[in-house]
Amino acid sequence: MSWTAPLAFAGCVLCIGMGVVVAESDVRLPGNNQGYEPEQPIHFSHRVHAGELGMDCLACHFAAEQSRHAGIPSLDVCMGCHTHVTSGFDAVLEERDVAKAEGREPRRIVSPELRKLYDAMGLDDDLEPIPGAEAKPIEWVRVHGIADYVYFDHRVHVARDLACEQCHGPVQSMERVRQESDLSMGWCIDCHRASPAEPGAVGMVGAEPKHVSIDCVRCHY
Ligand code: HEC
Ligand code: HEC
Ligand code: HEC
Ligand code: HEC
Ligand code: HEC
C-alpha cells in the first residue's frame, strides 16, 4: 500500500502541468484533487437543473440509494425533457420575437449544446433517428475518485440522511461540478468520529454514544 502515496503525489504534480491532457484522457488520480473542475463534453449545468429548475439530486443520481456508486444518468433521463426543450429559454423567446416581426411561425431552435446530446443519440433536428447513425454514450469526465484500496459506499451514507451537499458542497449552484471536499482519510474519519453509530443516539443518557466505526478494515480490505 505504501508505494501508492508517492505515486499519487507524482501524479498530481503532472496533473497540474497537463490539465487538458488529463481531462481528455479521463485519467483519475487518487489523492487530493480538491477543487478539480474539469470541462465536460456537454455543458450540463447543475445550477440550472438542480438550482433553478429545482430537480432533486436523486431524480438523476437514483443509484446513490441502491448501490455503492451514485452513477451518472443515461441520456434517456435527459430526453424526458429534452424531446421538448431543445434550447435555452432565451433563444426560444428571441426566435418568437423574430418570427412575429417576420410574420411567420417560430422555428424549432436547437442549441449547439443540446445538438451534442442529439448527436450522441443519433437524432436529427426534428429528433428523428438519422439512418445509419449509431447512438453512443457521452464520455463524461469523472470528477471524484478515491483510491482502489478504499471502500466507500453511497447507500449507507444516504440511508442515514446525510445530504449530498455535506460531502459534495453546493452542487446546485455550480455551473460545472467541482470536487469540494479533499476526500482524504482524515476527512472520512473526522465525520465518523462526530457521528453516533445509531441514528438518533445523540441524546442517549449515560455513556457516550458509540461513534461510527473507524476500524481500518471498514474502509480498507
Ligand atoms: C438532470 C440530471 C441531474 C441532476 C438533477 C443532478 N445531477 Fe449531478 N450529474 C448529472 C450529470 C449528467 C453529471 C455528469 C456531468 C457533470 O459532471 O456535470 C453529474 C455529475 C455529478 C457529480 C460529479 C460526478 C463525478 O464525476 O465525480 C456530482 C458530485 C453530482 N453530479 C452531484 C449532484 C447533486 C448533489 C445533485 C443535487 C443537488 C445533482 N447532482 C443533481 C446529472 C444530474
Ligand atoms: C426536468 C426536465 C429536464 C431534464 C430531466 C434535463 N433537462 Fe436539461 N434543461 C431543461 C430546461 C427547462 C432547460 C432550459 C433552461 C433555461 O433556458 O434556463 C435545460 C437546459 C439544458 C442545457 C442548456 C441548453 C442551452 O443550450 O442553453 C443543456 C446542455 C442540458 N439542459 C442538458 C441536459 C442533460 C445532459 C440532461 C440529462 C443528464 C438534462 N439536460 C436533463 C430541463 C431538463
Ligand atoms: C459521506 C459523503 C458523501 C455523501 C453523503 C454523498 N457522496 Fe457522492 N461521493 C462521495 C465520495 C467519497 C465519492 C467518490 C467515490 C469513489 O471514488 O468511489 C463520491 C462520488 C460521487 C459521484 C461520482 C461517482 C459515483 O457514481 O459514485 C456522484 C455522481 C455522487 N457522488 C453523487 C452524490 C449524490 C447525488 C449524493 C446525495 C444523494 C451523494 N453523492 C452523497 C461522498 C459522498
Ligand atoms: C459527513 C459525514 C461522513 C463522511 C464525510 C464519511 N462518512 Fe462514512 N459514514 C458516516 C455515517 C453517519 C455512517 C453510518 C451509517 C450507518 O451504518 O448507519 C457511515 C458509515 C460508513 C461505512 C460503514 C461502516 C460500518 O460500520 O459498517 C463505511 C465503510 C464508510 N462510512 C466509509 C467512509 C469513507 C471511506 C469515507 C471517506 C471517503 C466516509 N465514510 C466519509 C458518515 C460519514
Ligand atoms: C472511514 C474510512 C477510513 C478508515 C476507518 C481508515 N482509512 Fe485509511 N484511508 C482512507 C482514505 C479515504 C484514504 C485515501 C486517502 C487519499 O487518497 O488521499 C486512506 C489512505 C490510507 C493509506 C494510504 C497512505 C496515505 O496516507 O495516503 C494508508 C496506509 C491507510 N489509509 C491506513 C489506514 C489504517 C492503518 C487505518 C486504521 C487505523 C485506516 N487507514 C483507517 C479511509 C479510511
Side-chain angles (χ1 to χ4, degrees), residues 57-58 61 69-71 142 145-146 152 154 157 162-164 167-168:
C57 308
L58 289 169
H61 300 289
H69 295 290
R142 181 95 193 233
I146 42 173
F152 177 82
H154 274 87
H157 293 93
L162 288 175
C164 314
C167 295
H168 292 294

Side-chain angles (χ1 to χ4, degrees), residues 1 5 30-31 147 149-150 183-185 188-189 192 214-216 219-220:
M1 203 185 272
Y149 56 80
V150 181
L183 309 189
S184 65
M185 177 160 140
C188 312
I189 285 186
H192 280 204
I214 50 169
D215 288 351
C216 314
C219 303
H220 302 294

